Amino acid sequence: MTYDLFIGDRMFSSWSMRGWLMFEKFGIPCETHMVGLYAGTMASDMANLAPARLVPAVRTPDGIVIGESLAIGETLAERYPGAGLWPARAADRATARWLCAEMASGFAALRADCPLQLMHCYRGFAPSDAVLSDVQRFETLWSHARRVSGCDSGWLFGEYSLADVFFVPVAARIVGYGLPVSDSALAYCHALLADPSVQTWRASAHEITYDPMPYAKDLPTTPWPEFPAL
């Protein structure tokens, strides 16, 4: 028996990406169902999942519907304790939960001004003070995580965890909009985007074309970088 995972368009749905990575990265089988975010069918596609109304949403093999990414992650961690969704060490685990909760509830400026898109990189994007404040907060949280874990590079807590899952779309925004970050933060972003599962997701995103493209900015673009797999 597998889980049913309901996601939106891969090119633009940051939370869908997180939901899919929770299954893909930790070897948990699921069947993926597309919800028409931009086709006008979202309400009908999710009618049988009520009161869940946003993607990602999950139906467990025993018929339980779960909305909200953090709840999905916690449920999977509870059901698959050996999969490593949360770090093994208590201090790391507590810190990872904090980072994921803050990511889920905050950073409104980044979300509004820099919608996720995996098509290309913008040149000349001028971030607002609020966006720069959000970016600085990421740097603060990532630095704190590394102090707690003792890991100077690579994944935040040594082994890949839900904390890394939650920051993949952030990395895509930092790279896609050319947001200013430190060299160490940029290296972490590149590591997240170089992950083979993330590259698979992005390749699938190009199976659908859009005209007009949602969230398009009137700015010059460059091709999406090639990130060598680690």
Side-chain angles (χ1 to χ4, degrees):
M1 299 179 68
T2 62
Y3 292 76
D4 290 303
L5 171 66
F6 294 80
I7 63 172
D9 297 60
R10 290 179 173 89
M11 185 67 74
F12 309 107
S13 182
S14 58
W15 286 107
S16 294
M17 181 192 291
R18 292 181 179 99
W20 183 81
L21 286 171
M22 290 179 196
F23 288 89
E24 180 72 13
K25 288 296 296 179
F26 301 101
I28 303 171
C30 72
E31 183 175 348
T32 300
H33 306 271
M34 294 299 299
V35 170
L37 285 180
Y38 302 98
T41 61
M42 184 172 182
S44 59
D45 292 343
M46 299 190 68
N48 292 332
L49 300 170
R53 60 178 184 171
L54 301 174
V55 289
V58 166
R59 184 185 291 113
T60 69
D62 45 331
I64 299 171
V65 173
I66 313 167
E68 297 296 332
S69 299
L70 194 53
I72 293 168
E74 287 283 16
T75 300
L76 295 179
E78 181 181 71
R79 291 185 173 212
Y80 298 89
L85 280 86
W86 291 122
R89 200 168 68 97
D92 293 348
R93 192 163 59 250
T95 305
R97 283 191 167 109
W98 166 16
L99 267 60
C100 289
E102 186 163 336
M103 179 65 250
S105 63
F107 306 103
L110 183 78
R111 299 179 199 276
D113 291 3
C114 304
L116 178 71
Q117 60 83 28
L118 303 174
M119 188 171 294
H120 46 234
C121 295
Y122 286 111
R123 290 191 294 112
F125 176 76
S128 67
D129 289 344
V131 168
L132 292 175
S133 179
D134 280 352
V135 171
Q136 183 56 54
R137 181 61 180 169
F138 290 127
E139 294 244 22
T140 297
L141 292 174
W142 294 347
S143 295
H144 176 69
R146 295 197 182 282
R147 285 193 297 272
V148 171
S149 69
C151 298
D152 293 333
S153 61
W155 311 130
L156 292 178
F157 298 96
E159 298 296 327
Y160 195 95
S161 74
L162 285 176
D164 302 299
V165 166
F166 269 61
F167 287 119
V168 171
V170 173
R173 286 175 162 108
I174 288 172
V175 168
Y177 290 87
L179 302 179
V181 294
S182 65
D183 289 345
S184 60
L186 188 60
Y188 177 53
C189 292
H190 286 183
L192 289 171
L193 298 176
D195 184 84
S197 295
V198 174
Q199 296 196 19
T200 295
W201 173 273
R202 183 174 176 271
S204 297
H206 283 81
E207 293 174 1
I208 300 175
T209 57
Y210 299 87
D211 186 16
M213 178 181 167
Y215 314 120
K217 303 276 188 187
D218 187 18
L219 290 169
T221 62
T222 56
W224 191 261
E226 294 293 330
F227 300 104
L230 301 183

